Amino acid sequence: MHHHRIEDYALIGDEQTAALVGRDGSVDWLCLPRFDSAACFARLLGDEDNGHWRIAPKHAPGHCTRRAYRPDTLVLDTEWETGKGAIRVTDLMPQRDRSPELVRVVEGLSGQVTVRSTLRIRFDYGSIVPWMRRSGDHRVAVAGPDSVWLRSEPLVETWGKDRATHSEFTVREGEQVAFVLTWHPSHEPRPPLVDPYETLRASVRDWQMWARRCRYDGPYRDTVVRSLITLKALTYRPTGGIVAAPTTSLPEEPGGVRNWDYRYCWLRDSTLTLNVGLSAGYREEAEAWRDWLLRAVAGDPADLQIMYGLGGERRLPEFELPWLSGFAGSRPVRIGNEAVGQLQLDVYGEVMDSLHLARREGLPTKPHMWDIQAALMEWLREQWRQPDEGLWEVRGGRRHFVHSKVMVWVAADRAVRTLEENPELRGDLDGWRALRDEVHREVCEKGFDPERNTFTQYYGSRELDSAVLLIPRVGFLPPGDPRVLGTIDAVREELGQGGFLRRYSTAGTAVDGLPGDEGTFLVCSFWLADALNMTGRRKEARELFERLVGLTNDVGLLSEEYDPVEHRQLGNFPQAFSHVGLVNTALALFGDEEAG
């Protein structure tokens, strides 16, 4: 069992897949060739025999001395100081032409250090030991459809032992040794060789040029840019889709069963993600995400899913991997996501809101965009009264979730506004206005607890839900409305834990149908900061934002949740939604200061 924490990892990637590198110099997670492919390094969810690649001084303690990304890049430097001298290991995945590659450059900084590389490739999530052979100066691993080549420059001695590939070499100050790991389908010839040093220079240059496009120049700029780089790294470039996280089954409760696969694209995150891209100056990415969204939701509105695969795939069957012991013993390890079949009415609102925002911000419209929107509205008008599973994907039965109904109101509101702003479009203006009014009335009547002056989790419940903090942001009620102010206070009072927020009450209720508990939800805490900011409590909002920024790990990354008791990150990592929340809140709090 390894003693890692989730925050011990840093991310590198090539916008088609990503790897997690630990502080011990080991790459413990890498899926090839896509985010949602099987992993060839799965130590993250098991042990060393499930695949990893460690490069570190031979006589080094477990953890590096220091590490950091090169400023404004996704290139990671890890430094080790030993009694004999110091080295730096630089890790990156170059933006690929054809084949995914992992490049690791070892450089002597001082003295003379003996370095060891241990590579264990285990295809299919750590279960398949490949056949290893030599081919000229390369080692090549083959099993079934997968083939991986390893080479080093200059050549170092490599040998096989314990079903792993080992190298040992000495570097002096100024000397460099580079390793390149290349994947390709085993039936194809080996791809052309890349120059690792040239690749490194190009990668640093490209990322820094990309980061310069960021329009934000307020406080915490480095943290904001790091979040934007992370979001860019979680984008599947061929289609523009953004994965919720590059991992599966990192636990929401260590040792518990709340372990889900997040390597897919959720519609839920679309509006906020689009907003971040447009506000921060990344229109191309915003447009690519909008186009992904349109392709994914095209078809019968009744078949709208809450999430899709990277290319808009609809089937994401869920199964378990019994041979993996799980992160910190958290089993089962799940691949795929059954929540794909759930009814979550709020996504109709998110899609309508996203497309309204895209149109308002002047992204070039697509020919059938409005037809798709009008079809969604017609379906919603017929179906909105159904109970649903809600945005938290509860597995404890359907209810009339307040946030879901608020988002139905958002869908109607954005449809009405689109028609008002674009008289050339056709639609049932009167009918959608009537729908908007009816939903609003019902939510204020059935989803509000006048005794405690707060909106609740579902109609008639006493439980609370941090998602209702979005009410002022989506425009359902103005920020100054006493019901909004009451809700903020009640939610903070009841769901607050250690200065952060949980999603909803899990103790003593069966809403989510799962045993156990979970940490505080980072994105909810950003929503609280936004709500405080909107209602004029700027100082409290800033203090909360500062506390949240303080939760990022040493290289600026956030998972889904935070455990305020054990002071550790929980859930899949890094989590796009948490980083979207961070950037959105920074823009809301400080974005207008640039002008001033």
Side-chain angles (χ1 to χ4, degrees), residues 356 359-360 416-424:
H356 176 251
R359 193 180 303 251
R360 206 186 63 209
V416 166
R417 286 208 228 174
T418 304
L419 283 181
E420 290 171 347
E421 291 155 13
N422 305 274
E424 75 283 358

Side-chain angles (χ1 to χ4, degrees), residues 110-345:
S110 65
Q112 180 175 329
V113 182
T114 302
V115 179
R116 170 163 262 183
S117 160
T118 306
L119 170 69
R120 272 191 186 84
I121 292 170
R122 295 291 184 268
F123 294 122
D124 196 27
Y125 298 107
S127 67
I128 296 175
V129 180
W131 175 258
M132 291 293 290
R133 62 182 169 85
R134 273 187 197 277
S135 169
D137 297 338
H138 296 66
R139 288 265 167 175
V140 56
V142 177
D146 297 292
S147 180
V148 162
W149 295 73
L150 172 74
R151 74 174 207 281
S152 58
E153 303 191 355
L155 226 48
V156 297
E157 194 203 340
T158 304
W159 69 94
K161 183 175 163 241
D162 306 328
R163 305 203 296 186
T165 301
H166 304 269
S167 317
E168 203 170 283
F169 53 95
T170 302
V171 286
R172 294 176 183 76
E173 187 176 338
E175 291 179 344
Q176 288 184 310
V177 174
F179 291 89
V180 180
L181 188 79
T182 305
W183 177 96
H184 69 97
S186 54
H187 64 277
E188 289 181 8
R190 192 200 69 204
L193 302 180
V194 299
D195 173 343
Y197 304 108
E198 181 44 47
T199 296
L200 170 58
R201 281 191 295 273
S203 196
V204 169
R205 188 185 62 230
D206 291 349
W207 274 110
Q208 288 178 340
M209 275 173 59
W210 187 84
R212 276 206 291 278
R213 286 169 40 200
C214 174
R215 282 218 304 254
Y216 177 78
D217 201 21
Y220 301 100
R221 183 176 187 278
D222 287 353
T223 310
V224 168
V225 169
R226 175 55 48 204
S227 291
L228 288 165
I229 288 173
T230 304
L231 291 170
K232 173 82 166 157
L234 297 180
T235 302
Y236 183 64
R237 200 173 42 168
T239 64
I242 299 174
V243 290
T247 55
T248 178
S249 299
L250 290 181
E252 296 176 21
E253 178 184 41
V257 296
R258 295 165 182 258
N259 319 316
W260 316 111
D261 192 344
Y262 270 36
R263 297 170 303 155
Y264 306 110
C265 308
W266 266 255
L267 298 188
R268 159 123 344 97
D269 313 11
S270 65
T271 323
L272 292 179
T273 307
L274 203 64
N275 188 46
V276 155
L278 291 168
S279 308
Y282 292 100
R283 286 180 79 83
E284 274 163 59
E285 285 77 7
E287 195 176 336
W289 172 234
R290 194 273 320 260
D291 291 348
W292 177 89
L293 186 70
L294 273 176
R295 289 192 302 272
V297 305
D300 185 337
D303 299 333
L304 187 72
Q305 296 185 177
I306 60 161
M307 67 169 103
Y308 296 86
L310 304 172
E313 298 87 352
R314 290 172 179 246
R315 292 173 80 83
L316 311 173
E318 190 176 300
F319 57 94
E320 296 174 5
L321 302 184
W323 63 84
L324 289 174
S325 56
F327 184 95
S330 311
R331 300 170 79 157
V333 168
R334 292 186 175 92
I335 302 300
N337 203 314
E338 228 140 60
V340 78
Q342 293 194 347
L343 173 67
Q344 298 176 16
L345 288 170

Side-chain angles (χ1 to χ4, degrees), residues 215-219 279 538 542 586-596:
R215 282 218 304 254
Y216 177 78
D217 201 21
S279 308
R538 289 179 70 84
R542 282 177 190 215
L587 290 166
L589 284 175
F590 310 112
D592 50 3
E593 289 184 9
E594 304 147 67

Side-chain angles (χ1 to χ4, degrees), residues 348-356 370 373 376-377 411 414-415:
Y348 291 84
E350 271 110 19
V351 169
M352 291 297 292
D353 199 14
S354 293
L355 298 178
H356 176 251
W370 179 247
Q373 288 182 269
L376 290 177
M377 286 311 300
R414 301 316 187 251

